């Protein structure tokens, strides 16, 4: 059985994983995910003409998110999703037929095999390289597809909190259907990719509003990195609603709750930090989980992507929830976390071991609340430049660049950071400028929305465009959510972005040249050289 996957930054050989995924994805899972994407395209051909159907739209979001890196590694589970996709496609086909419309062709007439082996074999014909014969067009289709996957992840979080947008949902179906149209050319898909970036700005705004309306605007908060004596649960991922439910269900039970990875910013939300048993953050970014989780004796649960193959010494204490799944790991369906709570109660307690404290909670409301001080500091020459240094972290070599860049940034500059890339330097001491911390943790990867709002507000205050601000974006990427954030920044016309630690394997030289010519997008080099080029 063959596979080919190049959707993450750690693609083998810099081209793509063709034996087994660096992420731990096996060939059968990879080909089943390719099959699911093909099925979603078949569904979209019908849904795009049918119009809004809440069940189909919700399934499409979950189906796309399922195929994001480090989400679902369980073949039978994906097989079940493929079968459900076909059922919904047939529902849409029947509804269209009742209106006098019948679609034909291989994609429209897709039907999965009855058994898992058959679906897997079919998936081998539905891979990335089958999307288009022209490599440049295929490259931009991949950019669009990965943008859709990343946007689906954010849309899923927003929908869990009751937020949605019909125009965005219609675009998902339109864009998926478009990838099957042989009459569309390169610039058609460039346009769709830019449109994806536009809609993702809407989605990140929806999610930001859902978070702040539900839990309040983040406030600067000191977070303990040590441990408190007692039983414990470690929550990893992005979904704040799931964390809230665990906090509610553990209240008064003598269990301390710790965040991990992208959950760190949860400590800044008033509606979550009010729980006294949300006591700290344990560990760092996702790629260190195997060694860190082995030292955490309590229960551990993942609520979104970032899971890796678990080590034997903590598998029995590990749980997944939502769309995350790993073979042999207990999965929680719904909102009853009793199994996780019981495991925490029967597991050894953590020791009292206070540690370093770090700050989070500098969302757009907090930063813009002191905008007058920031603007005054810029006008007085106290702040010479702003850097947005953040994005995904990962295990591939070259990411120490971001540590070095942050360390070497002059003391009259301010660093905004977000997502798990912050773990490369968020434990370092950067000091402040006139009471303004030099390191401002804006939040999760979706809080790129906050960073955008801050940049737009500063541009308004200085009566200039965002590209004219003393602001540089130095981004790290790993998976598809980073791709869609980049599309959003490009949609906004933001230029001179540096990205690393390596360029995506799915971008061809011609497509890269287009991005360089139109947006001056470029790879990182060295911290010293990039700082010199930016600051002169």
């Amino acid at each position: 059985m063959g596979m080919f996957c190049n959707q993450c930054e750690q693609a083998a050989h810099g081209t793509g994983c063709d034996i087994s995924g660096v992420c731990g994805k096996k060939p059968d899972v990879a080909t089943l995910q390719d099959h699911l994407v093909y099925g979603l395209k078949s569904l979209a051909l019908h849904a795009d003409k049918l119009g809004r159907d809440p069940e189909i739209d919700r399934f499409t979001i979950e189906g796309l998110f399922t195929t994001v890196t480090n989400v679902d590694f369980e073949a039978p589970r994906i097989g079940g999703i493929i079968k459900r996709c076909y059922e919904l496609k047939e529902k849409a086909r029947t509804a269209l037929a009742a209106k006098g419309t019948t679609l034909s062709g291989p994609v429209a007439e897709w039907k999965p095999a009855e058994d898992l082996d058959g679906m897997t074999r079919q998936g081998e014909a539905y891979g990335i390289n089958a999307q288009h014969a022209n490599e440049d067009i295929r490259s931009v289709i991949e950019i669009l597809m990965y943008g859709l996957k990343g946007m689906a992840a954010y849309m899923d979080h927003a929908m869990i909190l009751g937020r949605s947008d019909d125009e965005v949902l219609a675009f998902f179906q339109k864009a998926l259907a478009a990838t099957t149209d042989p009459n569309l050319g390169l610039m058609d898909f460039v346009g769709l990719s830019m449109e994806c970036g536009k809609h993702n700005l809407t989605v990140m705004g929806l999610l930001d509003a859902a978070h702040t309306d539900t839990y309040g605007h983040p406030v600067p908060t000191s977070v303990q990195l040590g441990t408190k004596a007692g039983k414990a649960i470690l929550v990893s991922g992005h979904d704040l609603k799931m964390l809230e439910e665990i906090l509610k269900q553990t209240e008064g039970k003598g269990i301390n709750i710790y965040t991990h990875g992208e959950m760190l910013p949860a400590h800044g939300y008033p509606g979550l930090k009010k729980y006294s048993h949300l006591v700290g953050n344990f560990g760092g970014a996702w790629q260190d989980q195997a060694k860190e989780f082995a030292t955490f004796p309590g229960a551990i649960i993942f609520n979104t992507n970032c899971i890796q193959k678990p080590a034997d010494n903590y598998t029995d204490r590990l749980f997944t929830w939502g769309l995350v799944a790993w073979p042999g790991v207990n999965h929680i369906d719904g909102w009853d976390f009793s199994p996780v709570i019981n495991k925490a109660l029967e597991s050894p307690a953590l020791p009292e071991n206070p540690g370093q404290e770090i700050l989070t909670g500098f969302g757009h409301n907090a930063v813009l609340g002191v905008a007058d001080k920031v603007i005054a500091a810029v006008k007085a020459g106290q702040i010479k430049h702003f850097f947005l240094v953040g994005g995904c972290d990962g295990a591939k070599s070259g990411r120490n660049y971001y540590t070095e860049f942050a360390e070497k940034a002059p003391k009259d500059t301010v660093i905004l950071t977000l997502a798990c890339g912050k773990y490369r330097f968020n434990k370092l001491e950067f000091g402040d400028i006139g009471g303004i911390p030099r390191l401002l943790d804006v939040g999760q990867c979706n809080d790129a929305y906050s960073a955008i709002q801050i940049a737009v507000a500063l541009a308004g205050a200085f009566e200039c465009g965002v590209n004219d601000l003393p602001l540089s974006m130095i981004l790290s990427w790993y998976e598809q959510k980073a791709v869609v954030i980049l599309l959003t920044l490009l949609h906004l016309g933001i230029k001179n972005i540096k990205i690393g630690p390596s360029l995506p394997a799915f971008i061809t030289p011609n497509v890269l040249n287009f991005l360089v010519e139109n947006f001056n997008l470029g790879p990182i080099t060295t911290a010293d050289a990039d700082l010199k080029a930016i600051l002169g």
Side-chain angles (χ1 to χ4, degrees):
M1 179 185 299
M3 66 169 284
F4 184 77
C5 181
N6 63 358
Q7 69 180 2
C8 88
E9 190 267 338
Q10 293 183 175
H13 319 298
T15 56
C17 298
D18 54 5
I19 298 175
S20 186
V22 172
C23 65
K25 185 165 58 177
K26 300 301 182 186
D28 61 335
V29 171
T31 52
L32 284 168
Q33 289 186 353
D34 288 341
H35 191 158
L36 174 55
V37 169
Y38 189 86
L40 289 168
K41 292 179 178 184
S42 178
L43 175 60
L45 279 173
H46 296 83
D48 184 43
K49 294 186 179 298
L50 184 64
R52 305 281 52 75
D53 180 297
E55 185 179 25
I56 290 174
D57 286 337
R58 191 70 183 95
F59 176 84
T60 298
I61 299 303
E62 293 183 350
L64 285 169
F65 193 4
T66 293
T67 67
V68 168
T69 302
N70 293 69
V71 177
D72 194 337
F73 294 80
E74 200 165 37
R77 180 182 170 94
I78 299 171
I81 298 171
I82 292 171
K83 289 183 178 180
R84 182 58 182 154
C85 186
Y86 177 70
E87 291 171 358
L88 289 173
K89 190 266 286 189
E90 287 297 288
K91 170 189 173 182
R93 183 188 64 80
T94 301
L96 273 183
K99 295 181 177 182
T101 301
T102 301
L103 304 181
S104 61
V107 184
E109 296 168 7
W110 161 75
K111 182 179 181 180
E114 292 293 328
D115 65 332
L116 195 62
D117 287 342
M119 283 189 278
T120 304
R121 286 192 296 272
Q122 286 175 318
E124 293 185 30
Y126 300 147
I128 291 165
N129 292 326
Q131 293 186 114
H132 205 284
N134 182 290
E135 67 172 5
D136 292 328
I137 295 177
R138 185 169 67 243
S139 176
V140 184
I141 289 175
E142 286 183 75
I143 292 172
L144 173 61
M145 283 303 308
Y146 301 150
L148 292 172
K149 290 183 179 188
M151 184 163 65
Y154 296 140
M155 193 66 173
D156 183 64
H157 298 317
M159 294 179 92
I160 285 172
L161 287 169
R163 304 302 173 98
S164 188
D165 184 281
D166 282 349
E167 186 178 347
V168 172
L169 294 171
F171 176 74
F172 273 106
Q173 307 300 349
K174 167 190 164 182
L176 283 168
T179 64
T180 71
D181 188 344
N183 296 314
L184 296 182
L186 183 68
M187 295 312 297
D188 294 307
F189 289 111
V190 168
L192 284 166
S193 296
M194 293 299 101
E195 192 176 349
C196 183
K198 180 189 79 169
H199 288 297
N200 187 59
L201 183 62
T202 298
V203 173
M204 289 195 298
L206 282 173
L207 184 54
D208 178 79
H211 283 164
T212 56
D213 288 351
T214 307
Y215 306 113
H217 281 282
V219 295
T221 301
S222 183
V223 182
Q224 173 62 233
L225 300 183
T227 60
K228 186 175 181 179
K231 306 287 187 174
I233 295 174
L234 182 61
V235 182
S236 185
H238 303 72
D239 199 274
L240 300 186
K241 173 66 174 174
M242 181 266 210
L243 174 63
E244 179 191 30
E245 288 300 316
I246 286 184
L247 287 166
K248 287 179 178 178
Q249 293 176 36
T250 52
E251 203 165 16
K253 288 185 167 64
I255 299 174
N256 294 321
I257 307 300
Y258 295 82
T259 57
H260 173 264
E262 288 259 40
M263 289 302 295
L264 167 63
H267 292 270
Y269 288 91
L272 297 173
K273 65 182 295 183
K274 69 181 182 181
Y275 292 94
S276 60
H277 59 303
L278 179 63
V279 297
N281 189 76
F282 186 93
W286 65 273
Q287 74 275 4
D288 295 325
Q289 63 191 255
K291 65 180 181 182
E292 291 176 346
F293 289 0
T295 67
F296 187 88
I300 305 164
I301 184 165
F302 275 92
N303 65 31
T304 54
N305 63 309
C306 292
I307 193 170
Q308 288 184 302
K309 181 181 179 180
D312 293 340
N313 53 13
Y314 63 84
T315 301
D316 67 319
R317 297 180 282 109
L318 185 64
F319 297 82
T320 57
W321 176 84
L323 301 177
V324 187
W326 190 282
V329 171
N330 291 315
H331 185 80
I332 302 296
D333 287 312
W335 298 95
D336 181 1
F337 295 101
S338 297
V340 186
I341 294 168
N342 292 336
K343 177 59 69 173
L345 290 171
E346 69 184 40
S347 298
L350 271 71
E352 185 73 24
N353 185 26
Q356 181 184 355
E357 294 188 0
I358 59 174
L359 285 171
T360 190
F362 291 95
H364 57 90
N365 190 67
V367 175
L368 296 180
V370 294
D372 56 336
K373 294 181 180 178
V374 174
I375 293 166
V378 174
K379 290 181 175 178
Q382 295 173 297
I383 297 177
K384 296 288 180 61
H385 207 88
F386 297 89
F387 294 106
L388 175 59
V389 185
C392 311
D393 204 0
K396 191 174 179 179
S397 62
R399 291 183 180 271
N400 285 338
Y401 163 94
Y402 298 95
T403 309
E404 187 179 351
F405 189 99
E407 288 179 316
K408 291 184 174 181
K411 296 189 182 301
D412 57 4
T413 63
V414 171
I415 301 169
L416 303 171
T417 190
L418 50 80
C420 61
K422 69 170 71 81
Y423 283 106
R424 289 285 165 172
F425 47 80
N426 67 344
K427 299 178 181 68
L428 303 178
E429 178 54 53
F430 289 94
D432 65 87
I433 299 174
I436 301 167
R438 285 193 57 234
L439 181 65
L440 302 175
D441 180 358
V442 177
Q444 297 179 334
C445 55
N446 50 277
D447 289 313
Y449 181 81
S450 269
I452 291 168
Q453 298 307 306
I454 293 167
V456 169
L458 289 175
F462 289 108
E463 299 182 341
C464 66
V466 171
N467 289 315
D468 299 316
L469 285 171
L471 168 68
S472 301
M473 297 191 179
I474 316 295
L475 306 181
S476 55
W477 83 284
Y478 178 73
E479 40 86 319
Q480 297 81 68
K481 288 184 286 185
V483 174
V484 79
I485 288 173
L486 179 61
L487 290 178
T488 297
L489 295 174
L490 298 182
H491 154 72
L492 291 169
I494 295 174
K495 297 183 178 182
N496 305 315
I497 300 169
K498 290 191 175 294
I499 188 170
S502 59
L503 292 176
F506 50 82
I507 293 183
T508 61
N510 287 334
V511 173
L512 176 60
N513 187 56
F514 174 87
L515 293 171
V516 171
E517 288 183 352
N518 288 273
F519 300 99
N520 200 28
L521 178 72
I524 60 172
T525 58
T526 67
D528 286 326
D530 288 344
L531 281 166
K532 183 177 180 180
I534 293 167
L535 300 175

